[in-house]
Amino acid sequence: MDLLAQVGLRRRPLALTLTTPRLTLRPLGPEDAEALVAGVGNYDVSRWLAVVPYPYGRADAEAFLASSAAAPGRAWAICDDDGLQGVIAGHSELGYWLARPAWGKGYVTEAGDAVIDRWFADPRAPDLTSGHFEDNARSRRVLEKLGFAESGQGTREARALAQTVAARDMVLTRAAWRARRRYRLATPRLSLREMRPGDLGAVLRIGGDVRVARMLSSVAHPWDAEAAQVWIARSLYRGRPGFRLAILRRGRLIGSVGFGKAPGETVQTVGYFLDPAHWGRGYATEAVGALLADVLPRFGIDSVEASAFADNPASARVLTRVGFHEVARGLGRSGARLEPAEEVTYRLHLSDLKATR
């Protein structure tokens, strides 16, 4: 009997439907048979899977949906706005497939993060395993992004290929999962840490201030709690670029600084905001400089861009003090502005980074 049972408490049941910024992961049902056939029935998909035959017909889909492998809490339909795009399973072993038209969108990584977090939310859950065919470099990259490390080599039966193929075994330990959810930095006056769902109140208050919102392109205005929750969910650290950190002063959240690629962009960018009550004290310069000094070498990145509206000279000073230089001008949008406004793009190379702490 575990400790919670001994003291008469019940564990909170794990959710059967999971949501991410772009996806809904829901239980599978008989109505999904046609979508399964259309997706995994494509040889480009089934050839990389161990247990899926080719050709893959409706009878195969119905048999899978009726099996324990497709039970709620064991497997999920990966759905975007256009419907079912794949399946992900996460019960002791992580497995997945994605329909060919949905490749290259980062869906498996996004869905995998949610399923992995759900798995390790149970303190009794063991390490999570996975694997890939040796020549499936795409799947290996996904697993490495999710934090898996190689644990061995072997072979697997590939039903679609009707042969045995070389394979690599992968594992994600609880310790590795926990480490990839933490990001901590300290400066002389500030502490920076990973964003958390509990930061909602402070984030909503600061980002909802029109003085802050009109300088941002990443938030709507007015900003409601639901939108702020989505923003925080997209900000969580997962061991790779594409996150935001909370800026703390004496334990109180006073702003945020983030690093990653904007949707549809190919370059890494840095962005930040600060509570107006703390403007003019050099905190933004301190936080941005500290993050870049750590994140660029950590991920082997040589350059980063940032942008600021032309009527925001304070932000321009922050960027130039850190080492950025202007490279372009154009029009930018903010949810708190009625019209597009002139926006300045800045760029920094690692060799140009100035000490700020």
Side-chain angles (χ1 to χ4, degrees), residues 45-356:
V45 177
S46 61
R47 70 183 300 267
W48 299 113
L49 304 175
V51 299
V52 173
Y54 184 83
Y56 186 88
R58 189 174 184 88
D60 298 304
E62 291 175 346
F64 167 71
L65 292 169
S67 71
S68 61
R74 286 176 173 259
W76 292 263
I78 302 173
C79 301
D80 65 7
D81 292 340
D82 295 322
L84 189 151
Q85 300 296 335
V87 171
I88 186 166
H91 187 78
S92 75
E93 182 174 13
L94 185 75
Y96 48 83
W97 63 263
L98 204 63
R100 187 66 180 85
W103 289 8
K105 298 181 179 181
Y107 281 179
V108 173
T109 305
E110 188 171 321
D113 280 331
V115 170
I116 290 168
D117 285 350
R118 182 187 187 277
W119 175 256
F120 284 116
D122 182 348
R124 302 165 298 179
D127 296 343
L128 192 60
T129 62
S130 191
H132 63 89
F133 293 167
E134 191 170 79
D135 55 351
N136 191 350
R138 183 189 298 270
S139 190
R140 184 180 183 88
R141 287 194 297 270
V142 168
L143 291 171
E144 289 176 339
K145 284 182 180 179
L146 292 171
F148 284 80
E150 185 172 326
S151 59
Q153 303 178 24
T155 60
R156 295 196 180 198
E157 294 296 323
R159 290 186 64 190
L161 302 177
Q163 65 185 54
T164 300
V165 299
R168 300 297 177 100
D169 299 322
M170 309 284 281
V171 64
L172 176 62
T173 66
R174 180 178 291 276
W177 168 78
R178 186 181 295 115
R180 290 173 63 84
R181 268 55 180 175
R182 291 171 59 90
Y183 199 124
R184 306 293 171 85
L185 295 173
T187 74
R189 299 180 296 169
L190 305 171
S191 297
L192 279 65
R193 62 153 171 80
E194 68 282 352
M195 295 293 298
R196 302 169 181 169
D199 295 329
L200 175 62
V203 166
L204 186 59
R205 177 182 60 81
I206 299 170
D209 188 315
V210 69
R211 293 171 293 176
V212 175
R214 68 186 307 271
M215 299 302 176
L216 303 176
S217 59
S218 63
V219 302
H221 187 78
W223 208 22
D224 60 29
E226 183 177 357
Q229 285 177 327
V230 172
W231 186 90
I232 290 176
R234 290 175 173 170
S235 302
L236 300 180
Y237 181 60
R238 307 287 190 181
R240 56 184 181 271
F243 64 91
R244 297 180 178 93
L245 301 181
I247 303 172
L248 307 180
R249 170 66 175 165
R250 295 176 178 171
R252 180 182 179 186
L253 193 152
I254 64 169
S256 175
V257 58
F259 183 86
K261 295 179 183 178
E265 298 295 330
T266 58
V267 297
Q268 302 287 351
T269 61
V270 65
Y272 51 90
F273 64 74
L274 205 65
D275 187 334
H278 296 274
W279 287 0
R281 303 179 187 181
Y283 291 157
T285 303
E286 196 169 314
V288 172
L291 175 60
L292 293 179
D294 183 85
V295 77
L296 294 179
R298 179 187 291 232
F299 294 109
I301 297 170
D302 180 65
S303 64
V304 59
E305 292 187 357
S307 61
F309 286 109
D311 60 357
N312 188 358
S315 193
R317 287 193 295 272
V318 168
L319 295 172
T320 54
R321 285 170 182 165
V322 172
F324 283 86
H325 61 277
E326 181 179 333
V327 293
R329 287 182 178 249
L331 291 178
R333 294 182 178 274
S334 167
R337 295 174 184 254
L338 296 178
E339 301 289 341
E342 185 178 16
E343 188 176 50
V344 185
T345 299
Y346 300 83
R347 183 176 298 140
L348 174 145
H349 292 280
L350 180 57
S351 58
D352 299 326
L353 184 63
K354 299 177 182 178
T356 58

